[in-house]
Amino acid sequence: MARKFKAEVSELLDLMIHSLYSDREIFLRELISNGADALDKARFLGLTREDLAPVEGEPGVRVTVDAEAKTIVVEDDGIGLTEAEAVKNLGTIAHSGSKQFLAALQEGDASAPELIGQFGVGFYSAFMVADEVVVESKSALPDEPAIVWKSAGKGTFDIGPGDKATRGTRITLHLREDCEEFADTWRLQGIVKKYSDFLPWPVLVDGEQANTAKAIWQETPTTVTDEEANAFYKTLSNDWQDPAHRIHVKVDSPLQYAAMLFIPSERPYDLFMQHVDRGPRLYARRVLIMEHAGELLPDWLRFIRGVVDSEDVQLNVSREMLQKTPVVRKIREALIKRILKEFKSITRREAEEGEEHPYAKLWHNFGVLLKEGAYHEHGETRDKLVELLRFNAVSHDDERGLLSLAEYKEAMPEDQDTIWYLTAESRDSALASPHLEAFRKKGWDVLVLTHPVDEWLVQAVTEFDGVKLQSVSRGELELDDEVAADAADLTGLGPWLQGLFDDSVAEVRASGRLTDSACVLVDSEHGISGNMERILREAQQDAPKAQRVLELNPGHPLVKNLAQLHADGKTDAAEPIARLLLDDAMLLEGTVKDPAAIGRRLQALLQSASEAALR
Ligand code: ADP
C-alpha cells in the first residue's frame, strides 16, 4: 500500500533532486554514516542486553556495486529498523533545523549540500542519485520481522514484510540515468576515503576495506598531521571547512583520557538554538558511549566540537550517572583549563602574527559565549575569562581592533580611577548619548557595550585588576564648582518637576555629566538599568521597572528659562515644555514608550511657537 510522505519531506526531496547537482557524491557519506550510527546503537544496546541478534563475521558497512544493473547497495549490521521506525524515520523529518535547511535550498545557498548531514536529512540524499530506493531491514531486537521500504521519491513510499534474515539494513539504490558514473568501485572508494576515513567501523567497497577506521585521538599528538586531523574534524562535525584551532591531549595520570577538540572557523548555525544536543562525543576505550556528552563541557563552550575517550568511564554509564561521576567532573575541569590556556596562547599569537588576527576571528565568532562564561563561572576560571574579553570603546571600534581591559587600564589618564562603560542598543546610539559629554570633556575613554549579554556580564564582572567597572549612566556624578553654582537655581524647579513626573522618574536633580545637552535620563544607584529593562521586555520577559533619574544641565539656557518660568509662577507655560524635555531625554536613549503622546505634545508646542512668531 502506498503511503504519503509528510509534506515537508516531499518538498525537501523535490528541492534536493532538482537543485543539488554538483555535490551528489555526498549521498554515500550520509548512508555510510547512518550505517555507522546504527552499528554504534547496536553495540551500545548490547552492553546492557543479551538478547540482540548476533552478527556473523566482523561488523561493518559494506558497499557493493553492480555496474551492469546500475545499482549500489549499502549494507550495515547495525540496529536495523522495525516497521514503525521505518515509517517514522524514513517518512518524516524529525530535526528542528530542517526548515532552515529548506530555506537554504530555496535560496540557492551554495552551502546547502554541506548542511545535509547537520540537519538530519541525510537519508533523503539517496534520491539525488537514485530514482528508486529500496530499504530492507531487520531490527536487532528479538521477534521483530524483516521489512521492505520502497520509494521513487515522488511523494509516496511503500512498506511491507521483507525477507532479510540477518540484523541490519540493506539499502539498494537504482541509479538515475544521469548518475550512472557512481556505479564504479574506484570512484566509490575515493568518496569513502574522502568523507568516511575515520569512522570507527570498517567500510568495505566491493569486499575491500576503503577507510582507515582508526581512533585518531588515541595517536600521539605530535604524530597527527593537520590534514588527518582536519579530515577527522569534518567527518565528526559535518562542517566542510577546516577548523580554526585544534587541541589534542593524551593524559595518563591522575586521570586517564584522550581528547581531540576543535574550534570551528565559523559560528555553527545552531549555536543559539534551543533543544540542540551539545557536547563532545564520549568514548570509553574506543566504544562510542554518547554522541553528545554535554556534561563534559560547560554550555558556554558549546561551540567546541570533538571527542573525549576515557578508560575511567564505565561503558554502560547513563546520562544521569554521567553527571554524578567524579571522573567526568575532573575531566571537565581539566578540559576547561586546557581550552582557556589555548585561547590565551591564541591571543599571544594575535600579537605576533600581525595580519592573521586569529584571536580577533575567534572573538568575532564566539566572544559572546566567552562573555556568557565570565558571567557563569567563578574564581580562577572567571579571572582567566575576563583577561580574554575584548571590547568596543569610544576610542575603538571593530576597525581599530578591540580593547582588552588591561589595555584600557593601561591607557587611563592619571586622574581616572574607574573603568567606565556605557550599555546601549547600538554603537550609534551610544555615541550620540549625552552620558558621554562629561567623559569627552575629561578625555576619558568609555567602553561601548551593545550586546544583550553585556548587561549580565557587568553584573558579574565588577572589577578588573583592582579597578572598579562602572556604568556612565548609573548613579550620581560629582558636580564641578561651576555646575554646582548653577545648580542652586534649580531648587524650586526640581521638586515641581518631580511632582509632575511622579509615575515615570524616581528623582529629578542637577547633572554633573552634561556639557551640551539640557537633560539626560540616568539609572539610579540600585535596581536594573533602563537598557536591561528594554532587553528583558524585547525578550518578552517580565521586567521590573528600572528606577530612572532625570538629570538637568543647570547651565543650559533651556533649563534656565524653565526655572525662570516656574519661579515667575507661569507653570501653565512651563508644563508642556517640561514634559517635552523628558520626552526628549527618552528619545535620546531610544526608549520612547508612547510616541503618539510625544507627537501630540510636540504639535501643541509648535503651534504656540508659531503663534508667538506671528505676533
Ligand atoms: P539523521 O541520521 O541525521 O537522523 P537521516 O535522514 O539520515 O537523519 O536518518 C533518519 C533516521 O532514520 C535516523 O535517525 C535513523 O533513526 C534512521 N536510519 C537511517 N538509516 C538507518 C540505518 N542504516 N539503520 C538504522 N536506522 C537508520
Side-chain angles (χ1 to χ4, degrees):
M1 182 194 72
R3 302 196 194 200
K4 276 204 164 76
F5 282 120
K6 287 264 189 270
E8 75 269 17
V9 177
S10 291
E11 196 183 343
L12 176 82
L13 284 173
D14 201 50
L15 277 163
M16 269 168 77
I17 294 165
H18 294 108
S19 44
L20 303 175
Y21 299 111
S22 52
D23 300 271
R24 283 170 169 162
E25 64 180 26
I26 59 164
F27 78 93
L28 193 63
R29 172 187 79 188
E30 296 304 322
L31 295 183
I32 289 175
S33 118
N34 281 349
D37 285 349
L39 283 158
D40 282 336
K41 281 181 197 157
R43 175 155 67 177
F44 182 67
L45 210 59
L47 296 172
T48 48
R49 292 185 64 145
E50 280 163 12
D51 56 351
L52 290 193
V55 180
E56 280 162 30
E58 195 188 356
V61 181
R62 291 172 297 279
V63 180
T64 40
V65 185
D66 187 332
E68 291 284 298
K70 307 292 181 208
T71 59
I72 296 175
V73 175
V74 181
E75 182 171 12
D76 65 68
D77 308 302
I79 190 73
L81 289 155
T82 63
E83 180 171 333
E85 284 166 348
V87 170
K88 179 166 165 284
N89 297 332
L90 310 182
T92 59
I93 304 176
H95 202 286
S96 57
S98 55
K99 289 235 159 52
Q100 259 177 285
F101 175 65
L102 272 178
L105 271 181
Q106 268 153 352
E107 286 161 17
D109 186 335
S111 60
E114 319 295 348
L115 298 175
I116 286 176
Q118 292 181 34
F119 283 104
V121 290
F123 170 74
Y124 303 107
S125 66
F127 291 100
M128 297 191 324
V129 296
D131 47 22
E132 180 169 52
V133 176
V134 182
V135 179
E136 299 162 89
S137 194
K138 183 165 164 55
S139 171
L141 297 168
D143 308 323
E144 290 289 350
I147 58 116
V148 185
W149 179 104
K150 233 186 243 180
S151 175
K154 297 211 176 78
T156 62
F157 62 88
D158 288 299
I159 189 157
D163 54 13
K164 193 171 184 322
T166 53
R167 85 173 203 201
T169 303
R170 181 191 304 130
I171 301 179
T172 306
L173 309 178
H174 296 268
L175 293 173
R176 291 152 50 127
E177 226 166 70
D178 57 346
C179 292
E180 289 176 357
E181 56 179 287
F182 291 111
D184 177 287
T185 308
W186 190 78
R187 176 87 200 264
L188 295 184
Q189 276 171 342
I191 303 175
V192 170
K193 192 83 195 151
K194 181 165 165 193
Y195 296 108
S196 315
D197 205 26
F198 296 102
L199 273 188
W201 297 97
V203 178
L204 278 58
V205 176
D206 284 339
E208 231 177 273
Q209 183 161 336
N211 68 335
T212 321
K214 73 177 171 185
I216 182 175
W217 59 90
Q218 292 289 11
E219 311 279 302
T220 310
T222 48
T223 64
V224 176
T225 64
D226 288 351
E227 220 170 32
E228 276 181 308
N230 292 351
F232 171 61
Y233 166 76
K234 288 176 186 168
T235 64
L236 177 92
S237 64
N238 284 319
D239 192 351
W240 67 98
Q241 304 187 73
D242 285 341
H245 306 278
R246 163 170 101 244
I247 297 169
H248 186 185
V249 279
K250 273 196 85 180
V251 179
D252 284 319
S253 77
L255 295 163
Q256 189 290 326
Y257 70 90
M260 194 180 250
L261 303 175
F262 299 92
I263 301 170
S265 55
E266 295 292 336
R267 197 184 287 174
Y269 77 94
D270 60 359
L271 212 50
F272 295 100
M273 288 182 163
Q274 286 179 334
H275 313 298
V276 176
D277 291 329
R278 318 266 191 201
R281 272 191 197 164
L282 174 63
Y283 287 80
R285 272 156 274 173
R286 301 178 196 212
V287 177
L288 182 67
I289 302 295
M290 245 168 242
E291 184 67 35
H292 296 283
E295 292 73 13
L296 282 170
L297 286 178
D299 210 35
W300 57 271
L301 283 173
R302 60 185 177 271
F303 57 97
I304 294 206
R305 305 283 136 116
V307 298
V308 175
D309 189 336
S310 176
E311 286 187 17
D312 298 331
V313 176
Q314 300 244 315
L315 279 177
N316 56 357
V317 71
S318 70
R319 196 163 279 280
E320 291 68 39
M321 272 164 67
L322 205 58
Q323 279 168 359
K324 296 188 199 121
T325 313
V327 182
V328 171
R329 221 187 42 240
K330 283 186 196 144
I331 294 179
R332 172 187 161 114
E333 278 164 23
L335 291 178
I336 295 176
K337 263 208 175 114
R338 182 63 187 75
I339 291 166
L340 288 175
K341 195 173 137 202
E342 186 68 22
F343 289 168
K344 176 102 190 201
S345 90
I346 298 170
T347 63
R348 279 197 216 104
R349 275 168 32 213
E350 177 86 5
E352 288 156 17
E353 283 177 18
E355 290 298 291
E356 282 293 308
H357 301 306
Y359 191 69
K361 267 181 209 149
L362 193 147
W363 181 259
H364 172 79
N365 287 332
F366 307 115
V368 170
L369 292 159
L370 301 193
K371 288 177 179 176
E372 229 181 272
Y375 173 74
H376 285 292
E377 298 290 341
H378 297 277
E380 208 186 318
T381 307
R382 176 188 286 169
D383 290 346
K384 284 187 191 158
L385 274 163
V386 169
E387 282 178 30
L388 291 165
L389 299 178
R390 294 294 179 269
F391 296 95
N392 245 298
V394 171
S395 68
H396 275 67
D397 58 11
D398 286 338
E399 257 161 48
R400 273 207 60 192
L402 302 175
L403 273 179
S404 67
L405 289 179
E407 286 164 334
Y408 178 98
K409 188 180 166 221
E410 182 64 34
M412 277 178 7
E414 233 166 64
D415 60 339
Q416 185 185 346
D417 61 2
T418 303
I419 297 175
W420 293 100
Y421 65 81
L422 170 61
T423 57
E425 199 174 359
S426 66
R427 183 174 172 84
D428 283 347
S429 77
L431 293 187
S433 165
H435 287 121
L436 293 177
E437 290 175 7
F439 292 85
R440 285 210 176 94
K441 193 169 150 195
K442 285 188 189 331
W444 295 355
D445 202 1
V446 173
L447 302 177
V448 175
L449 310 183
T450 53
H451 195 279
V453 76
D454 291 327
E455 281 286 348
W456 276 267
L457 179 72
V458 294
Q459 284 177 33
V461 181
T462 54
E463 207 196 87
F464 172 75
D465 199 13
V467 183
K468 247 178 74 176
L469 266 78
Q470 201 176 317
S471 163
V472 298
S473 64
R474 187 184 281 282
E476 208 165 350
L477 282 197
E478 243 177 76
L479 308 183
D480 60 29
D481 296 343
E482 200 182 321
V483 180
D486 284 332
D489 298 340
L490 297 187
T491 40
L493 182 66
W496 177 67
L497 288 179
Q498 192 141 3
L500 207 57
F501 300 146
D502 199 28
D503 24 326
S504 31
V505 301
E507 196 189 335
V508 179
R509 68 179 175 222
S511 182
R513 26 166 76 83
L514 300 176
T515 57
D516 302 336
S517 299
C519 63
V520 69
L521 276 170
V522 307
D523 298 310
S524 51
E525 200 63 60
H526 304 288
I528 71 163
S529 68
N531 190 49
M532 181 72 129
E533 187 189 326
R534 172 188 66 82
I535 291 166
L536 290 175
R537 210 168 321 104
E538 281 172 5
Q540 334 268 261
Q541 291 191 26
D542 277 339
K545 254 180 95 76
Q547 294 271 310
R548 309 311 302 281
V549 175
L550 178 65
E551 286 195 352
L552 301 175
N553 180 354
H556 196 282
L558 175 51
V559 176
K560 281 183 186 271
N561 292 347
L562 200 59
Q564 192 59 49
L565 281 173
H566 176 257
D568 294 350
K570 296 183 179 161
T571 45
D572 280 357
E575 185 177 330
I577 299 175
R579 287 202 187 276
L580 267 169
L581 204 60
L582 176 62
D583 293 337
D584 187 43
M586 290 196 257
L587 275 173
L588 282 170
E589 63 171 17
T591 56
V592 171
K593 293 190 184 101
D594 188 358
I598 298 182
R600 280 194 298 276
R601 283 199 280 274
L602 200 55
Q603 280 184 17
L605 198 77
L606 289 173
Q607 189 180 329
S608 56
S610 60
E611 281 161 8
L614 280 173
R615 254 183 254 126

